Amino acid sequence: MEAHRKLEQNGYPRLYTHRSLQPASGQSMHPPTAEPALGPYLRALRAHRLLVVLTTVGFVVLALLWLAVGRNPSYEATANLLVTPLPQDDQTFRGLQLLRDSGDPTRTVQTAASLVESPEAARRTAKILGPDWTTQQVMDAVTVEPVGESNILAVTGSAGDAETAAKLANTFTKQTLAVRRDVLDRDVGPLLDQLKSRQKALGSTNTEAGAQLEDRINQLENVGTGNDPTLSISQAAEVPTSPSGASPLVILVLAGFAGLALGAAAAVLLELLDRRIRDEDEALSILPLPVLARVPLQRRQLGRARPTDAWTVAPAVREACRTLLLQLPPSSHEGGRVLMVTSASTGDGKTTSAINLAATLAASGERVILLDLDLRKADVAHRLAVPDPVHLNELLSPDHLVPLLRTAPSLPSVSVLATELLQGDAILLDPLYARLPQLVAEARSLADHVIIDTPPLGEISDALRLLGFVDEVVIVVRPGNSDRVGLSTTADLLARTGTDPAGFLVVGDTPGQTSSYYAYGHHRRRELFVEEPVPERTTRSTH
């Protein structure tokens, strides 16, 4: 409560703590809400909107180039053939290769189409069209298809100009009938000779049979000098007025839709492959916690830390830290309040946030101890230019905490336990963590506030060992950098241990914005919010 009073004396009003607003035990203050079915896809499109736009525009540009340079116009003209099959019981044209009714109109018309697509008709058509045409070219340029379920065959010719297309369709249709006429003429001659011989043998003894034979001979003579009675031209092909296929406008629209679909698919694929959290809402959907404060990203020129450099906190960052601290309740334990700062993944900015929180508290006259317990990747010593960091083997000694605390030249108002991992020290981690509760308890008795920098909880489980010895847990999350899987792991670990974190400290608000300030593990580099100096205050030494 003393910390709250001192901050309020500096002009900051009292805020309700998030604990006082929580419902009864066992209930969640921010129950997770079901994300809409299209939520992940819309988020992917927003995150990769530039890719979607570029893909769509690229497809449209390619379509324009194809229309201007690569597209060869094609014209189509269609002539219609009427199919009139002979009855099955017809005796007049028995023995001739004529189309007969099969009982299935569709099958009958399909049979007629196979008769019309004649290589001989294509050869004759090519000869008429000129030396630029071959039999195969005609076969490729002409299609014969039934029109729906009617008895009409559509003979369609395709060519590079309208007149040639119409001439191709009409010539092929006429030559098809000419081929059929030649076949009938060849077959009718021998049949007529047979029938005339029978007529001569009958003489006038059988008047009815002779009359029937005479009638058949007359009809066959008509067929021999005319066309196939089962095929006739019902409509000649006309010269088309426009090219076939889709119009340029339709092609451009389709290209736009294709580019949009491909761009959207690529965006969704990238979103699936990218494990980073895109925005604050996504973080809250994974781990529903109060957002205690938002820290803006600011770009600064980095350099090697020097003992003469002072760690300063920008006004916006200090304001965010004060807002966060005002929302935390006083410690329920005797002594100072212990605040653990962790994150879901590396690079989220937890170490810098821990230092800024410590600097903000110290600037208000509080006794602050900063413990660097990210033992696998200690970084506070490098950030604050601590001259003589503590080796891990020194933490195992039975000495008290006070001899291990250091005064950072860049932040003299904060007592720092600055650790350093040396080669071979990793084997000391297990026995060291057994002693950490004692160190935390001693720090609590020496200071008003203890800030602990721990490893990312979503990647290393070391921070779980400290959950029972701290008052509050603040999770630093950075949209555009925090690992989605790491945050899910963090949420699962906190749920299993029954830990209720104080809330989120959100770093930055623009996915994709980069800043070397919040970069986990950049050793011996100066990363500051330098806007105004910290006012000098008389602080009580913890040594």
Side-chain angles (χ1 to χ4, degrees):
M1 296 299 294
E2 181 67 21
H4 285 267
R5 285 194 296 269
K6 290 185 177 181
L7 287 174
E8 291 165 15
Q9 291 172 0
N10 291 335
Y12 293 91
R14 176 182 296 274
L15 300 179
Y16 290 104
T17 65
H18 79 281
R19 301 285 186 183
S20 64
L21 298 177
Q22 285 186 342
S25 175
Q27 296 181 355
S28 174
M29 178 180 176
H30 292 273
T33 57
E35 187 176 21
L38 296 178
Y41 302 100
L42 296 178
R43 184 167 57 248
L45 293 180
R46 288 195 301 268
H48 303 283
R49 53 186 176 273
L50 181 60
L51 172 63
V52 176
V53 171
L54 291 179
T55 304
T56 304
V57 172
F59 267 66
V60 173
V61 170
L62 289 177
L64 286 172
L65 292 176
W66 179 71
L67 289 172
V69 179
R71 186 189 189 191
N72 295 321
S74 177
Y75 293 85
E76 292 184 352
T78 301
N80 293 331
L81 280 175
L82 177 64
V83 179
T84 311
L86 297 175
Q88 285 283 0
D89 57 353
D90 177 78
Q91 299 296 323
T92 302
F93 301 104
R94 187 177 65 253
L96 297 180
Q97 299 179 27
L98 294 175
L99 187 65
R100 295 181 178 272
D101 191 358
S102 63
D104 183 357
T106 302
R107 181 180 178 184
T108 301
V109 176
Q110 290 176 347
T111 302
S114 63
L115 292 176
V116 171
E117 287 182 314
S118 166
E120 176 61 22
R123 186 190 66 81
R124 296 185 182 186
T125 301
K127 184 177 181 181
I128 295 174
L129 292 179
D132 294 336
W133 289 84
T134 64
T135 301
Q136 187 59 46
Q137 287 177 331
V138 174
M139 293 291 291
D140 293 339
V142 174
T143 59
V144 181
E145 296 178 346
V147 179
E149 297 181 356
S150 66
N151 59 344
I152 299 293
L153 287 177
V155 181
T156 303
S158 301
D161 63 87
E163 294 182 357
T164 302
K167 184 177 181 181
L168 175 62
N170 289 327
T171 302
F172 186 86
T173 303
K174 293 178 182 178
Q175 294 307 309
T176 296
L177 297 181
V179 170
R180 296 297 302 158
R181 182 172 58 248
D182 292 346
V183 171
L184 289 176
D185 183 59
R186 182 194 61 199
D187 295 340
V188 165
L191 183 58
L192 283 175
D193 292 341
Q194 294 178 9
L195 294 176
K196 288 180 179 180
S197 298
R198 289 177 56 188
Q199 184 183 38
K200 185 177 180 181
L202 286 174
S204 58
T205 57
N206 193 334
T207 306
E208 182 178 356
Q212 293 178 352
L213 190 59
E214 179 68 22
D215 181 63
R216 185 181 180 190
I217 290 174
N218 292 335
Q219 293 190 48
L220 288 175
E221 287 178 342
N222 291 332
V223 169
T225 58
N227 293 324
D228 185 340
T230 61
L231 293 174
S232 59
I233 298 177
S234 63
Q235 181 179 345
E238 298 180 354
V239 177
T241 57
S242 61
S244 60
S247 65
L249 179 60
V250 173
I251 291 175
L252 292 177
V253 171
L254 292 177
F257 277 113
L260 180 63
L262 183 61
V268 172
L269 179 60
L270 289 176
E271 187 71 10
L272 292 176
L273 296 177
D274 189 358
R275 296 174 24 155
R276 295 177 299 173
I277 291 174
R278 289 296 172 189
D279 49 37
E280 183 180 303
D281 291 338
E282 185 179 2
L284 295 177
S285 68
I286 298 174
L287 180 56
L289 291 176
V291 177
L292 302 177
R294 297 175 178 84
V295 178
L297 286 174
Q298 298 185 15
R299 303 173 186 271
R300 305 300 298 171
Q301 183 66 32
L302 299 181
R304 189 175 298 275
R306 297 186 300 271
T308 56
D309 292 334
W311 181 280
T312 56
V313 184
V317 179
R318 184 185 302 114
E319 174 64 24
C321 291
R322 286 172 173 170
T323 301
L324 183 151
L325 293 168
L326 283 170
Q327 297 178 77
L328 301 181
S331 173
S332 59
H333 299 80
E334 184 178 353
R337 178 174 57 190
V338 180
L339 176 62
M340 187 176 87
V341 180
T342 186
S343 62
S345 54
T346 59
D348 290 346
K350 64 173 184 59
T351 298
T352 306
S353 297
I355 297 175
N356 282 332
L357 288 170
T360 301
L361 286 167
S364 63
E366 298 293 319
R367 293 178 301 165
V368 182
I369 293 179
L370 175 62
L371 302 181
D372 186 0
L373 298 185
D374 189 355
L375 302 180
R376 300 177 187 267
K377 206 170 186 180
D379 202 32
V380 172
H382 303 303
R383 300 288 184 92
L384 297 180
V386 176
D388 186 20
V390 176
H391 301 158
L392 296 190
N393 55 356
E394 297 180 59
L395 293 178
L396 292 175
S397 63
D399 295 336
H400 294 291
L401 176 64
V402 173
L404 302 177
L405 297 178
R406 302 288 185 264
T407 298
S410 57
L411 191 59
S413 57
V414 176
S415 297
V416 181
L417 174 61
T419 56
E420 184 173 37
L421 179 64
L422 300 179
Q423 185 175 5
D425 282 351
I427 61 175
L428 303 176
L429 290 177
D430 286 336
L432 180 60
Y433 274 109
R435 188 170 183 266
L436 288 184
Q438 176 187 347
L439 296 176
V440 174
E442 189 173 352
R444 185 193 293 272
S445 67
L446 296 173
D448 298 320
H449 299 273
V450 179
I451 308 297
I452 303 178
D453 179 26
T454 68
L457 190 56
E459 296 181 358
I460 303 173
S461 62
D462 292 350
L464 291 177
R465 305 170 188 250
L466 297 172
L467 291 178
F469 306 98
V470 302
D471 297 311
E472 301 293 342
V473 177
V474 172
I475 299 176
V476 179
V477 63
R478 178 183 172 187
N481 183 85
S482 295
D483 185 79
R484 186 182 298 112
V485 177
L487 188 58
S488 298
T489 302
T490 301
D492 184 57
L493 292 175
L494 293 173
R496 292 186 181 186
T497 57
T499 303
D500 184 18
F504 281 128
L505 173 60
V506 179
V507 176
D509 54 2
T510 304
Q513 181 181 1
T514 58
S515 170
S516 53
Y517 176 87
Y518 282 100
Y520 178 87
H522 286 275
H523 297 300
R524 304 187 185 279
R525 297 182 68 85
R526 181 85 188 286
E527 298 167 332
L528 306 176
F529 283 145
V530 182
E531 298 294 343
E532 64 179 53
V534 176
E536 295 184 0
R537 294 179 181 266
T538 303
T539 58
R540 290 168 286 179
S541 173
T542 59
H543 293 258

